[in-house]
Each structure stands twice: as structure tokens, then as C-alpha cells.
Amino acid sequence: MTQGSAATTAAKTTDPDLYDVVVIGGGPAGLTAGLYLARARYRTLILEKEDFGGQITITAEVVNYPGIAKTTGKALTDTMHAQAKDFGAEFKSAEATGIDAEGDIKVVHTNRGDIRTFGVLIASGASPRKLGFQGENEYAGRGVAYCATCDGEFFTGKEVLVVGGGFAAAEESVFLTKYASKVTLLVREEDFTCDAGVAQEAKDDPNIEIHYHTELDEVSAGQGGLSEATIHDVHTGESKLWKPTTSDTFGVFVFAGYVPQTAVVKGLVDLDDYGYVITDSHLQTSVEGIYAAGDLCQKHLRQVVTATADGASAAVELERYASQLSDKTGLLPVRPTGSTSNKETTTTPAGTSPAPAPTPQSADSAKASQSASALFSADVKAQLSMVFSRLVKPAVLRLELDGTPLSKELRGFVGEVVALSGGKLSSVVSDDTAEVDDEGKARFDPAGVLPVARPCVRICTANEQGDLVPTGLAFHGVPSGHEFNSFVLGIYNAAGPGQALEDDVKERIDGLSKPVDVMLLVSLTCTMCPETVLSSQRIAAANPKVRAEAYDVSHFPELKEQYGVMSVPCIVINHDDGQQTVEFGKKSVPQMHDLRGASPRRDWAEPTRG
């Protein structure tokens, strides 16, 4: 077995700057390969430019992964990440920009330096396809969206265009009828390309109008949203102007499949006509020593289970290849020493289940202040107890309230969390007053930096004198639903040992020298928001110059209007020089770090016609 070869160190020179394998991509395929390689004691580095875990992390429910009855995509890949790390795999947040494949030692170029290795595994997956119509990039997050679950509610009472003819387009069109006054579906082909049963649901829905052999060319916007679109018939070439008939503005949802992320090997290895990597039966590409696994490969089924199978198969082949190259060159990478069998696991607690969504703001106050024990299940209580037991200093939840039922709900919610903390948490109510309207709602300036929108819970710690020390973490609204995990882990990061960070990421956070304020506009139903909130607040917990506050946009429509928000998460970064950056979409810790240098925001444009 190749493991024996790897362990044979006699007559070889140890090279501390050399890897057996560099894996490009931290999704299920890459993580599985890293697990297998590190367990066999091959030095392995996994590179990821975005989030470790891949596209599956935005999936709220996974029920078809063998051996696991039900989980979330993020929980599944978090476990894979922890397993690979425990066996000694190394991780680096960086983007691979090219590969020198000549000679026995290959060089992987990244935006953070070059890496030497015997073998390379390409496992960068695929990402949602953008169509390239005029206005797609300009209005992304302000009318153009890619996730119905996250953004559907922003189009309540409005019309939407859905572009696509596959499974996602058919299914999400039906889902969007829960919110939209009308759904117009643009299908490029003569019919849907998905299962007939799924397509039939869309065809039978009276609120869905389907246009076949039709493409979207352009969208234009006025004050407040998208106002018109240009579409054309692919048979006749005839173009026409489309406008909503039941609303002044509309939204566009794009469900057009995925694009293989193969830019790093384009021109180096053979690709098929659709851009997918061509491999042999052992998953080796046309270049010796470069393998591929996962969704970027030619295959009939793209699922997590097939990606993990690819990762395992490629890893075994790369073990053999790296061992042969080590024998040939006389060079030996440093052996990983990690193993779950000989050390205590250091996996960060991250398994708390989402708390129930809060009762609507209009609910009576009796419900809003319901008994705390009704909010959390026994499993969630047990998990919270485990998390809070690991806090190393007391945390104080500072409440800023107004006269609304939502404030009563937040007070009851926080009271229950404190009661479950075993004395590790306490809460105080701020005595600061705020001007309120006739309904008791506090007024605030939506254009301000981190507006003081109430109700709000701020995470603080206490110094030796008992004084409150703000951590820069806050949530405006009630942090339940999908935001419950990020809230609990925010406390853990601020007052506990905190979630582990890769050394290179920690160095970058420690190097932040200028103040940065991050406002996060989120929805409790969004599956992508918690990762972005957690990433931002992880940075804030580690560096006092950063503040990161989340706002449940459903309770603060002033902020939605201020930033033209039609998609979440919306990230508003206020820099120390007065510049402001507005960005949309799920972000990892490294990506949030990089946003400090992003371009300033763009406001809605006046209506234009091509």
C-alpha cells in the first residue's frame, strides 16, 4: 500500500516547503480528498477562495446523503472540514491563479504566493450561471436575484420574471407564487428540460405565465426598482418591451444552471465543449499528476454523494502518484501528525438548531412574552448548555428597547437564553431614551452609520471592575430563525475561546489597523445570511477596530428603502475615510476581510433603453 511508501523516510531529504498534494477547492470533493490523504499521512493543502464547504452550504435541508437522515448542507460540510483538519490536512484561504505543470514538482500560483507540490487535485466545483443580460450585474441585489427562498419575500405583491427551464426554474416559480402577484417564466427551449411532473406543477399554476423559446436581453430601473425588460423570441428574433401589469416594479430570478469553475486549468488540461474537465477512469486529467473531482468533471449526476466518491477515488490515486514522485526525487514533504485517534477533538460547537421564528410584530403582547421554555427544544437547550459552558469570561446582553411588541418579544427571548446559560450570561436594559412614534416605535436615521434601530441586543463583556465592554457585535430585531446560530456563536466568539481561525486568516484580521463599521441587512428566512453575519462578527470579535451589526430588514423598512434592498444578505461597509461599500451575497471571513477595499456603492440608475 502507498502509505508504507510515504512512511519510508530513509535516504530522503525532508523539504518543509513541499506538499504531496494541493487540493484546489474546499467543497465536498476537496474535503473528502483532504481527509483521505491526510489520514494516510500525506501532506495536503486545501485551497478555497470562498467558503469551505462549497455550494451545498446554502442548502437548508439535506435528506438524501446515505447514513444521515436529515441535516443541513453547512452542518454536513462542517463535519467534513473538521475530520480533514483533525487528520492533519492544512487549509489556506486563497485563490489559485495558475499551475506550472512542468517537471516533477508542480507550482500552484495563488493570490497569496506560490506553492510547490507533487500532485494537484482540481475540485473547484461549479457556480450559479449568470446569463449576461444588460443590467444583470448592475442590479444584482436590487431587483435581480438567484435565491427564491432568501429573496422571495421582497417581491410580495409585485410581479417577477423567472429565467430558466430546468428543475430549479420550475420548482422556484411555484414557490414564488406565495409572494408575487404574478410570475412570468421565460424558457429558452420548446419545453422544460426537467422531470415532467415538476414541470407540470408550474404549467398548471394559474399565477404562472410561461413564454417558451424566449430570452431576456435587458432590464432597466427607475427610482425604487426594476421598471421594464426587453425580451426576444429565439425563433423569429423579434424583440419586445415587457412591463409588469399588476405592479409598478418587478423582480428577476435567474435559475440557469451552473458553470464549471475551471479557469485555473483552462488551456492546460482537456475540457469538453461545455467547459467540464475530461478525466480517465482514475480521475487523472490529460496532464500527468493533475487530477479532478466533483461537479467540474464530466458526469451524469452532480450530487454531494458523487462528489465525495470522486474525492476519495482521486485521493487514493494521488497517494500512489505522490509516493512515486517522492521516491524519484528523494524529497519528502513533512508528514502530518494530526489524528482523531490520538488527540482530543477541537471542533467548535456549531450545531445549535435554529430557534422558531419570532411571532409577527402585530401579535399580542402575551404571545410576545411567552414562557421561555416554549421557545427551545430539549436538544437545543442541551447544545446551548454545552456552548455556554465553554465561555471563558462572562457576557452581558445589553438591550435597547422601545414600546413595541417586538421589544417585549426580544426581552423574553434574551431572558430565556440567559436562563439557559448556567450563570455565564446576564442581561441589562439600557436606560437611554429614544424618540418614538405614535405606535411606540423608536425613530432612527436610516442614513446613519450603524443606525440605532430598536429593539436591539448588543453583546458585551465585563472587565474586572464590572464595567461593560462593547464587543462591536449587535442584532437589531429578534435573533431567532436562521440567525439563532450566528447569535449564539457571536457570544461564543466574543466571550469564549471562539471558533478556530486558520493562522493566515488570523494574521490578516490582526493586521486591520483602521476602524471599519459593517451593517448587515438580513432576513430570518435566508439560509445564506447567517454565514455572512457570522463571518463579519467573527472579525469584529477578534479585532476591536471592527463593528458588525445585523438588522432584520423585515422590521426596518427604512433601511430597505435607503439601500434599495431586494436581496439579502446586504452588506454595507463604512470605511474610516467616509467611503461606503454596498455588497450582496454570502461571504466567508476572508471575503469579508477583502471587502474593505471594494468599490463604493452605486445608486439606482435612471431608466435607460438600449
Side-chain angles (χ1 to χ4, degrees):
M1 187 69 184
T2 54
Q3 182 174 352
S5 298
T8 303
T9 60
K12 291 184 180 179
T13 301
T14 300
D15 187 334
D17 297 321
L18 180 64
Y19 286 88
D20 288 297
V21 178
V22 169
V23 179
I24 300 175
L31 293 173
T32 302
L35 186 161
Y36 269 69
L37 285 159
R39 184 172 183 268
R41 302 196 63 223
Y42 287 86
R43 191 184 185 198
T44 307
L45 176 66
I46 302 176
L47 299 177
E48 175 55 60
K49 66 177 181 179
E50 295 182 353
D51 293 333
F52 288 100
Q55 291 291 329
I56 191 64
T57 58
I58 68 173
T59 301
E61 186 174 287
V62 177
V63 296
N64 62 344
Y65 192 81
I68 299 177
K70 184 178 180 181
T71 186
T72 67
K74 187 175 189 309
L76 182 63
T77 53
D78 278 352
T79 301
M80 295 179 186
H81 184 283
Q83 286 177 293
K85 186 172 184 178
D86 284 343
F87 280 120
E90 300 174 39
F91 295 84
K92 189 179 185 70
S93 296
E95 180 177 3
T97 57
I99 302 172
D100 286 342
E102 297 293 331
D104 295 326
I105 297 177
K106 297 170 177 57
V107 179
V108 178
H109 303 291
T110 81
N111 61 343
R112 301 188 60 206
D114 293 345
I115 304 162
R116 299 165 59 246
T117 182
F118 287 137
V120 177
L121 176 63
I122 310 298
S124 43
S127 61
R129 182 185 301 276
K130 290 192 173 183
L131 296 179
F133 57 84
Q134 292 187 46
E136 181 174 18
N137 291 330
E138 186 174 1
Y139 300 120
R142 296 193 178 93
V144 177
Y146 301 85
C147 177
T149 302
C150 298
D151 302 330
E153 65 177 307
F154 291 105
F155 300 92
T156 299
K158 298 181 181 294
E159 290 192 39
V160 297
L161 285 177
V162 172
V163 186
F167 177 89
E171 187 176 60
E172 302 290 21
S173 293
V174 175
F175 176 83
L176 284 167
T177 61
K178 297 179 180 180
Y179 305 102
S181 59
K182 180 182 177 181
V183 176
T184 300
L185 180 54
L186 307 182
V187 181
R188 188 182 188 282
E189 308 299 333
E190 299 302 309
D191 200 351
F192 288 90
T193 57
C194 62
D195 179 84
V198 176
Q200 197 61 46
E201 288 189 55
K203 293 178 179 180
D204 292 343
D205 196 305
N207 293 319
I208 299 176
E209 179 180 308
I210 303 173
H211 295 261
Y212 296 103
H213 46 80
T214 302
E215 289 186 333
L216 177 62
D217 293 332
E218 179 183 359
V219 293
S220 302
Q223 187 64 35
L226 300 179
S227 58
E228 60 187 32
T230 303
I231 61 177
H232 82 271
D233 188 304
V234 298
H235 289 338
T236 67
E238 178 185 1
S239 294
K240 65 179 181 180
L241 188 66
W242 180 92
K243 290 186 176 182
T245 58
T246 64
S247 59
D248 294 332
T249 60
F250 68 97
V252 174
F253 284 82
V254 178
F255 303 108
Y258 288 81
V259 179
Q261 298 299 290
T262 53
V264 71
V265 290
K266 190 173 184 180
L268 176 63
V269 305
D270 291 344
L271 308 177
D272 68 11
D273 293 339
Y274 299 97
Y276 291 95
V277 178
I278 300 171
T279 68
D280 61 19
S281 60
H282 300 292
L283 297 177
Q284 184 169 242
T285 69
S286 57
V287 176
E288 183 179 359
I290 298 181
Y291 290 73
D295 286 357
L296 53 65
C297 295
Q298 283 184 322
K299 54 173 35 181
H300 297 296
L301 180 65
R302 292 182 172 86
Q303 295 275 287
V304 176
V305 68
T306 64
T308 56
D310 282 356
S313 297
V316 172
E317 295 300 323
L318 279 159
E319 290 176 23
R320 174 191 54 77
Y321 179 81
S323 179
Q324 290 176 350
L325 266 291
S326 180
D327 290 341
K328 179 181 178 182
T329 62
L331 298 176
L332 184 70
V334 176
R335 295 282 141 241
T337 57
S339 173
T340 52
S341 63
N342 60 23
K343 70 174 184 178
E344 181 181 357
T345 180
T346 58
T347 303
T348 298
T352 48
S353 302
T359 51
Q361 192 170 1
S362 59
D364 62 47
S365 58
K367 272 192 175 181
S369 59
Q370 61 182 299
S371 172
S373 61
L375 290 176
F376 305 112
S377 68
D379 287 344
V380 172
K381 290 179 181 179
Q383 293 174 48
L384 287 175
S385 177
M386 183 269 291
V387 174
F388 293 146
S389 70
R390 299 181 64 182
L391 299 185
V392 297
K393 53 187 173 182
V396 182
L397 304 180
R398 183 175 186 265
L399 301 176
E400 297 172 2
L401 307 174
D402 56 14
T404 61
L406 189 65
S407 278
K408 294 180 181 179
E409 183 182 332
L410 176 62
R411 191 167 189 168
F413 183 91
V414 168
E416 173 66 357
V417 173
V418 170
L420 294 172
S421 71
K424 294 295 185 75
L425 302 180
S426 61
S427 66
V428 297
V429 177
S430 170
D431 57 6
D432 293 342
T433 59
E435 181 185 354
V436 299
D437 61 18
D438 294 340
E439 296 179 351
K441 183 177 180 180
R443 302 182 191 276
F444 66 95
D445 179 12
V449 175
L450 299 182
V452 186
R454 300 189 180 203
C456 170
V457 52
R458 300 186 185 276
I459 301 173
C460 305
T461 57
N463 61 21
E464 294 180 355
Q465 291 73 40
D467 300 323
L468 292 190
V469 180
T471 63
L473 284 65
F475 191 94
H476 300 257
V478 180
S480 57
H482 283 296
E483 285 303 325
F484 184 55
N485 261 1
S486 54
F487 176 65
V488 172
L489 290 175
I491 297 172
Y492 179 77
N493 288 327
Q499 292 175 290
L501 292 168
E502 307 299 337
D503 290 342
D504 62 314
V505 174
K506 189 176 186 307
E507 288 176 8
R508 297 169 72 187
I509 294 175
D510 291 343
L512 293 173
S513 59
K514 296 180 179 179
V516 180
D517 292 320
V518 184
M519 178 166 60
L520 304 143
L521 306 183
V522 303
S523 167
L524 298 183
T525 62
C526 175
T527 58
M528 292 190 289
C529 290
E531 182 72 17
T532 303
V533 172
L534 185 57
S535 296
S536 305
Q537 295 192 338
R538 183 67 188 93
I539 296 174
N543 190 316
K545 295 188 185 308
V546 181
R547 296 189 295 173
E549 302 187 12
Y551 299 72
D552 180 356
V553 74
S554 67
H555 295 297
F556 306 108
E558 304 93 332
L559 295 175
K560 175 183 173 183
E561 182 177 349
Q562 175 71 26
Y563 296 100
V565 177
M566 304 298 284
S567 180
V568 288
C570 173
I571 307 158
V572 182
I573 299 181
N574 294 282
H575 305 273
D576 68 313
D577 60 0
Q579 291 292 310
Q580 190 175 76
T581 298
V582 179
E583 182 73 19
F584 294 85
K586 187 179 72 166
K587 305 294 178 186
S588 64
V589 171
Q591 288 174 311
M592 285 302 308
H593 181 281
D594 293 342
L595 279 180
R596 294 177 308 113
S599 301
R601 68 167 292 184
R602 297 182 67 180
D603 288 312
W604 283 103
E606 292 299 317
T608 56
R609 292 280 301 278

